[in-house]
Amino acid sequence: EREIELCKLSVEKVNAMEPKPAFFIVCGDLLDAMPDKWPDIRKAQERDFLEVFKDMQVPLVCVCGNHDVGNTPTKETIASYKQSFGDDYFAFWHGGVHFIVINSQFYEDCSLTKDLAAKQDEWLEQELKKSAAHKVIFQHIPWFVKEPHEDKFYFNIELNLRTKMLNKFK
């Protein structure tokens, strides 16, 4: 109930802004119940989320997180997310800025979705080649929390992959 109250407050605050922001983004964990547990609770949370944000007066951009597609995503959890919230990775432009949304769960554990992760990587390569003065990448799991060479822990991406990707982005 408290989360619903806070989300409603965020919708009210965004709707009251002048000028309005270009969009409102939620960077993962749209729901709390994991996709492989408590299906009834999860459906109720999904209804609550969609109900709360239906009155948002700016576009809502959703990024999937581990509570949305699982710590180890499956083809089923990805398909379920896409059915409810849209693509798990995509790009858009606003004001000359190229915004890229990626499914960072593929970088955490794609053992059950290697083909889907490879498709995202191929797509990402093409997006990164597009010319733009500024690019912004949104994802759920950060590449690092405090500094790029920190050790791997629960809240970041493994160091070798992180280094490779950060160099690619640079």
Side-chain angles (χ1 to χ4, degrees):
E1 292 302 315
R2 180 69 176 142
E3 289 176 356
I4 291 171
E5 182 183 314
L6 291 171
C7 287
K8 286 180 179 178
L9 181 60
S10 69
V11 170
E12 289 174 20
K13 295 285 187 186
V14 169
N15 287 346
M17 292 174 129
E18 288 300 332
K20 298 260 186 271
F23 56 87
F24 183 86
I25 188 160
V26 180
C27 285
D29 292 352
L30 313 177
L31 310 178
D32 186 51
M34 297 296 280
D36 57 344
K37 299 177 183 175
W38 310 296
D40 293 339
I41 293 171
R42 187 173 173 82
K43 277 292 173 199
Q45 289 176 352
E46 186 177 307
R47 282 190 302 272
D48 290 343
F49 181 91
L50 295 171
E51 177 64 25
V52 166
F53 285 101
K54 75 175 175 39
D55 294 325
M56 179 74 71
Q57 295 173 2
V58 300
L60 175 65
V61 178
C62 295
V63 178
C64 65
N66 60 315
H67 283 255
D68 306 310
V69 298
N71 288 319
T72 304
T74 66
K75 290 183 180 185
E76 293 77 22
T77 62
I78 298 292
S80 177
Y81 175 86
K82 290 169 75 171
Q83 182 178 359
S84 297
F85 301 104
D87 290 333
D88 60 320
Y89 61 90
F90 55 94
F92 62 98
W93 293 81
H94 180 75
V97 177
H98 188 196
F99 293 95
I100 301 171
V101 174
I102 59 175
N103 180 345
S104 59
Q105 291 310 125
F106 289 147
Y107 299 114
E108 184 66 15
D109 184 354
C110 68
S111 59
L112 302 177
T113 54
K114 289 183 188 311
D115 58 331
L116 298 179
K119 280 185 181 177
Q120 175 180 266
D121 283 341
E122 290 170 18
W123 168 85
L124 181 57
E125 285 289 332
Q126 296 308 308
E127 289 301 312
L128 292 173
K129 288 178 184 176
K130 293 178 179 176
S131 180
H134 301 286
K135 291 181 184 280
V136 177
I137 299 175
F138 292 112
Q139 63 196 63
H140 179 63
I141 303 172
W143 296 105
F144 59 92
V145 174
K146 292 188 178 180
E147 59 99 12
H149 300 291
E150 68 195 17
D151 290 336
K152 166 67 178 146
F153 63 105
Y154 181 77
F155 294 107
N156 65 11
I157 301 290
E158 184 273 324
L159 182 59
N160 288 334
L161 176 58
R162 177 189 329 147
T163 301
K164 173 187 160 195
M165 294 304 288
L166 290 177
N167 285 332
K168 183 183 294 200
F169 296 152
K170 184 180 176 190

